[in-house]
Amino acid sequence: MRLYYSLLWLFFTLPTIAQDATSVEKDLVISQFVDGTLLVPTVDNKNILAIIIGDYGPTDRNGNQNFQKNNSLKKIANGLSKHGISSFRYDKRIVKQILKGHVNTRISFDDFVADAKAVLNHFVKQQTYSAIYIIGHGQGSLVGMLISHEDVTGFVSLAGSAKSIDQVIMEQIKQTAPGLVPDAQSAFDVLKSGKTTTNFPSALSNIFSLNTQSFMSSWMQHNPLEILKTLNIPVLIVNGTKDLQVSTDEANQLQTVSEKNTFKLITKMNHVLFIIEGGDLENSKSYNESYRPLSPELMEALIAFIK
């Protein structure tokens, strides 16, 4: 069954190559784990690079995953290119593993950070760009924070959470199954210590599966608010009022960590960066509607921050 869904996922999400007369796309192999696309403007090139880091799950360089084709990251890259800004976006390592048929179930969150560092180091060593910006979407926001130091000119958090993953999950459990809160907290306490556990209710097996515990343990060690406090570069925080996954309250928490942060709250924008006029049904369906344009306010905010 897993192979069946993997094949379907490949059919719907294989990257496509497209360019116009004002840009050139180049596929690059950064490491054994990372493949991506460099989009370089041929007109009005500003010698600036944006590295775009995708959200959770098997997200490819275009922002797509299982039955979710919205091309959100590809659209960001194209939008930047029109303003003379180069970009590099890449498949998360699980995508490459699926393509090669060798999936490592022991993958760690820190592996994603290592991949992002490898991308950054690749372009730093080239000395081609006078400025490098990191744009992290969703989970990619946390990854981006962790690599945004002396070699990075500025950092952009798109729909990034202000909470560690265990805090996010605990809040969901409190809302949906409050009786399981003590058991869930006990399991998270074990994971936070770096150990594994089998002491959890079967109702929580999708969260605490032994195959995912090491990943969860490494992910929950990182608190976005604490990491953001350490950044000494310009930061832009962007969130939408119709984001079903990250609340405006979380976005506000990120913004208030530092007076240097710039905050942009976009009315009616959802998690995949589209404008939603209707309710939750339209919102959810939009994750697989690649015909939708990105929020114009989003691109305006990105361009203004970078240039």
Side-chain angles (χ1 to χ4, degrees):
M1 184 61 72
R2 289 183 179 177
L3 178 60
Y4 170 76
Y5 284 116
S6 295
L7 291 172
L8 284 177
W9 174 82
L10 291 176
F11 177 79
F12 282 104
T13 62
L14 280 173
T16 56
I17 302 299
Q19 65 184 63
D20 56 36
T22 63
S23 63
V24 175
E25 276 193 354
K26 303 175 183 178
D27 287 341
L28 300 180
V29 177
I30 301 297
S31 71
Q32 62 176 317
F33 303 112
V34 180
D35 295 340
T37 296
L38 178 67
L39 184 62
V40 180
T42 56
V43 178
D44 195 28
N45 193 319
K46 304 296 184 185
N47 204 36
I48 299 172
L49 176 72
I51 297 173
I52 304 171
I53 306 174
D55 203 353
Y56 70 93
T59 304
D60 72 10
R61 67 191 72 183
N62 294 328
N64 304 325
Q65 54 175 277
N66 304 36
F67 310 109
Q68 292 183 6
K69 185 173 183 180
N70 51 67
N71 284 331
S72 56
L73 303 188
K74 182 178 181 180
K75 290 173 182 177
I76 290 175
N78 288 334
L80 294 175
S81 179
K82 291 176 182 177
H83 291 269
I85 300 168
S86 299
S87 65
F88 181 76
R89 62 194 196 273
Y90 61 95
D91 302 331
K92 294 179 72 173
R93 69 163 58 189
I94 188 67
V95 175
K96 188 167 185 176
Q97 291 176 0
I98 292 173
L99 289 171
K100 290 182 173 293
H102 300 289
V103 177
N104 179 8
T105 59
R106 295 298 180 183
I107 196 168
S108 164
F109 177 83
D110 295 328
D111 291 330
F112 295 151
V113 179
D115 292 342
K117 284 182 179 177
V119 172
L120 176 61
N121 290 339
H122 172 85
F123 290 104
V124 169
K125 289 178 182 177
Q126 282 192 337
Q127 297 184 334
T128 302
Y129 297 98
S130 60
I132 298 178
Y133 288 79
I134 304 295
I135 301 176
H137 177 232
Q139 186 194 71
S141 170
L142 179 57
V143 174
M145 288 180 199
L146 288 164
I147 68 165
S148 292
H149 294 289
E150 64 273 5
D151 293 318
V152 176
T153 307
F155 168 68
V156 180
S157 172
L158 297 182
S161 176
K163 302 170 183 175
S164 61
I165 187 58
D166 57 313
Q167 291 175 323
V168 172
I169 294 174
M170 285 301 300
E171 287 189 4
Q172 294 174 349
I173 293 174
K174 287 176 184 177
Q175 294 173 5
T176 59
L180 297 178
V181 166
D183 290 328
Q185 188 60 63
S186 296
F188 275 127
D189 289 343
V190 174
L191 295 187
K192 196 162 189 176
S193 71
K195 300 177 182 179
T196 59
T197 181
T198 56
N199 186 23
F200 54 86
S202 58
L204 299 177
S205 59
N206 61 326
I207 298 173
F208 296 109
S209 163
L210 288 177
N211 287 335
T212 62
Q213 284 189 26
S214 60
F215 181 85
M216 188 72 70
S217 176
S218 62
W219 188 359
M220 64 188 285
Q221 305 299 325
H222 304 292
N223 185 308
L225 293 178
E226 295 302 318
I227 298 165
L228 203 55
K229 290 178 183 177
T230 68
L231 301 191
N232 293 314
I233 57 175
V235 173
L236 171 64
I237 297 161
V238 183
N239 203 48
T241 62
K242 290 208 172 183
D243 193 322
L244 296 175
Q245 294 163 248
V246 180
S247 67
T248 55
D249 179 61
E250 286 190 65
N252 279 312
Q253 289 180 52
L254 290 176
Q255 186 267 335
T256 55
V257 165
S258 172
E259 294 180 355
K260 296 184 294 183
N261 295 343
T262 301
F263 181 45
K264 180 68 175 179
L265 183 63
I266 299 178
T267 303
K268 298 183 179 180
M269 189 178 78
N270 73 352
H271 191 73
V272 290
L273 314 176
F274 297 151
I275 296 298
I276 302 299
E277 298 293 344
D280 288 353
L281 179 59
E282 178 193 347
N283 200 335
S284 299
K285 288 175 62 178
S286 72
Y287 283 54
N288 195 37
E289 294 177 338
S290 59
Y291 66 85
R292 288 178 178 266
L294 292 180
S295 159
E297 283 189 69
L298 167 64
M299 289 310 307
E300 290 171 5
L302 292 178
I303 299 304
F305 178 73
I306 293 173
K307 296 177 68 172

